[in-house]
Structures are given as structure tokens and as C-alpha cells.
């Protein structure tokens, strides 16, 4: 994901001092927050998000459990930091207080119903992803794990992959 940001997003938006989402999308309050691992390959992240898109399409707009309240468009609004944070001045946007960060603001918003963790085993080794996972849980948001096979809670992963996740998460505690 570092390369996507450096070679695809930044060249498009740096001269405008804005995020990719502000310049290239119908941006607005998100109902789905996607947490990801910067060190994950773009291919794995892409495949996971494509599986999410298929799952959302199959569920349709009336299923609030995965798609929540809709934005002004035809589908859910997704918040993905690579596109939604101004990457030219990300340190300034993050600020000094985690609970005031864009991440916390989006998850705290009443329109955001679902938080998805891409590559959950890798993500939960990172402080930001662990914060997002735990913070969403404290706010009673739906927290789902998303792999390149699909949404874990929707039964999209193989039994072997599910067993591996279970072994890693059995002793996990949010602190």
C-alpha cells in the first residue's frame, strides 16, 4: 500500500493539498470504515475489498448489517485512510490526540455502522489497527474481519484459514 500511495495517489493530489477522496469521489460521511495494513501488498488489499464489494452487492441495499445507512449515492460510503486522509500532510491531520484523529472521528460518527479489518492477523499486530478494532468494539460497531477470501463472519474463508485466525485471536485482548 505504500507504493500505491507514493506512485498513484500522491502524484494526483499533492499539488491540490487535498485527499484523493476529496478530489475524485462523491465524498461524505462514511458508513463503512476499512482498517488496513500499510505493509500489505496492494494485490491482497485489492482482492479483499473486491470480495467485500461482491458481498455488499449480494446483500443489497436493504441489509443494514453489512451496509448500514447509505450515503447519497447508490451504495455504501467507505472510509479508507489511504484515499481519505490528505497524504501530503498526514501528520498534521493525525494531530496529537488519538481520540481526535480522523480515524476516531469516522468510527465515532453515528452513520458509521461497520468497521472492517483487512488482513486481520497482520492488522492486529499494528497499534493503529488494534486501536480501530478495540475502539469500534467499545462503540458497539459491527467489527468484521476481511481477508482476500472474503468476509470471515459471512463464511467466505476456508476452514483452514478460519482455524488459523481462531488460534491467533483466542487470547487477544483489547487494552
Amino acid at each position: 500500500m505504500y507504493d500505491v500511495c507514493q506512485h498513484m495517489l500522491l502524484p494526483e493530489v499533492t499539488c491540490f493539498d487535498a485527499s484523493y477522496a476529496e478530489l475524485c469521489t462523491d465524498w461524505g460521511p462514511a458508513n463503512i470504515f476499512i482498517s488496513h495494513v500499510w505493509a500489505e501488498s496492494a494485490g491482497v488489499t485489492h482482492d479483499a475489498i473486491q470480495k467485500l464489494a461482491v458481498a455488499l452487492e449480494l446483500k443489497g441495499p436493504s441489509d443494514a448489517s453489512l451496509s448500514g445507512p447509505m450515503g447519497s449515492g447508490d451504495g455504501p460510503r467507505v472510509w479508507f485512510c489511504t484515499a481519505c486522509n490528505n497524504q501530503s500532510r498526514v501528520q498534521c491531520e493525525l494531530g496529537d490526540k488519538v481520540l481526535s484523529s480522523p480515524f476516531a472521528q469516522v468510527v465515532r460518527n453515528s452513520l458509521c455502522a461497520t468497521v472492517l479489518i483487512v488482513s486481520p492477523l497482520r492488522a492486529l499486530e499494528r497499534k493503529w489497527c488494534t486501536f480501530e478494532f478495540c475502539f469500534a468494539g467499545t462503540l458497539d460497531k459491527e467489527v468484521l474481519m476481511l481477508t482476500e477470501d472474503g468476509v470471515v463472519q459471512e463464511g467466505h474463508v476456508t476452514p483452514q484459514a478460519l482455524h488459523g485466525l481462531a488460534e491467533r485471536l483466542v487470547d487477544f485482548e483489547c487494552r
Side-chain angles (χ1 to χ4, degrees):
M1 291 307 301
Y2 291 116
D3 289 339
V4 168
C5 184
Q6 187 67 33
H7 300 291
M8 295 176 73
L9 296 182
L10 281 175
E12 294 288 323
V13 300
T14 301
C15 62
F16 297 105
D17 190 32
S19 72
Y20 183 84
E22 289 172 300
L23 295 175
C24 301
T25 71
D26 177 27
W27 63 282
N31 59 312
I32 295 177
F33 178 98
I34 298 180
S35 180
H36 74 97
V37 177
W38 277 94
E40 184 64 87
S41 75
V44 168
T45 303
H46 173 270
D47 290 350
I49 292 173
Q50 285 297 108
K51 296 286 182 162
L52 171 64
V54 169
L56 290 171
E57 190 174 304
L58 291 174
K59 288 207 167 270
S62 63
D63 187 329
S65 69
L66 193 56
S67 57
M70 295 297 173
S72 63
D74 293 332
R77 280 217 168 104
V78 172
W79 195 89
F80 188 80
C81 72
T82 309
C84 294
N85 282 332
N86 181 336
Q87 297 297 330
S88 298
R89 55 183 175 85
V90 73
Q91 290 302 319
C92 179
E93 284 198 1
L94 292 179
D96 296 332
K97 296 185 172 104
V98 173
L99 292 176
S100 299
S101 69
F103 305 98
Q105 291 176 39
V106 173
V107 173
R108 190 182 296 117
N109 188 303
S110 62
L111 293 176
C112 183
T114 305
V115 172
L116 286 130
I117 310 292
V118 177
S119 300
L121 294 180
R122 291 190 76 183
L124 293 174
E125 293 174 351
R126 297 186 60 244
K127 289 178 184 176
W128 271 111
C129 294
T130 301
F131 163 74
E132 294 156 359
F133 177 82
C134 296
F135 188 58
T138 65
L139 297 173
D140 293 325
K141 305 291 181 170
E142 177 181 46
V143 180
L144 302 174
M145 295 180 286
L146 182 62
T147 71
E148 59 190 319
D149 296 323
V151 180
V152 172
Q153 290 88 336
E154 296 289 317
H156 299 159
V157 300
T158 65
Q160 294 84 0
L162 185 58
H163 181 73
L165 283 169
E167 283 184 331
R168 293 278 305 274
L169 293 176
V170 72
D171 295 322
F172 183 80
E173 291 182 39
C174 291
R175 294 180 195 235

